[in-house]
Amino acid sequence: MALLTEKPAAAFDLTQVGRGCLLWAKHFSWDEGKAGFVTTATENQLIVQYYPGIGNVTNHFIIPVSEAADGQWEIRWSADMALVQEYNVKTDDMDQEIEGGGADDIGGTDL
């Protein structure tokens, strides 16, 4: 009998997402998603800065890899805004999402 076992573990792919990437995320407990940019990216978590709409202030949220792997987060991100990637984004027949993202999909506003 072996004393140690190896188990696969979830990790963020740092070749896909990293510092400076624009990111929109929605935790299952939130009413709305938040758009910001990645300030810290490790295999275990992403830290995202965003504007909360209060004066000259910024805030942040953390996306732990365990919660993302568990399906608690919907995430869209882009390194160059030419390609918007998605993870765990839920769609239904009543609310079709625009492929590749649109202004509303990444936290934009209607003018």
Side-chain angles (χ1 to χ4, degrees):
M1 180 185 299
L3 178 62
L4 301 176
T5 61
E6 291 186 27
K7 295 182 180 179
F12 286 113
D13 183 354
L14 301 179
T15 64
Q16 297 294 316
V17 63
R19 288 185 66 198
C21 285
L22 299 176
L23 186 139
W24 175 93
K26 181 181 179 296
H27 190 262
F28 78 96
S29 65
W30 298 351
D31 292 333
E32 296 179 348
K34 294 177 175 46
F37 59 95
V38 178
T39 56
T40 302
T42 67
E43 290 183 345
N44 296 320
Q45 70 180 9
L46 300 175
I47 299 177
V48 181
Q49 291 284 94
Y50 71 97
Y51 174 65
I54 305 170
N56 191 17
V57 176
T58 62
N59 204 345
H60 72 279
F61 58 89
I62 298 172
I63 304 174
V65 72
S66 59
E67 290 182 5
D70 193 35
Q72 296 180 26
W73 289 89
E74 293 180 38
I75 304 170
R76 293 184 185 97
W77 74 95
S78 178
D80 58 7
M81 292 304 292
L83 174 65
V84 176
Q85 300 184 47
E86 299 179 334
Y87 175 78
N88 199 35
V89 174
K90 297 171 180 63
T91 60
D92 57 37
D93 294 335
M94 299 299 289
D95 184 27
Q96 291 294 319
E97 298 193 18
I98 300 170
E99 184 175 334
D104 290 333
D105 292 333
I106 55 174
T109 59
D110 293 330
L111 297 177

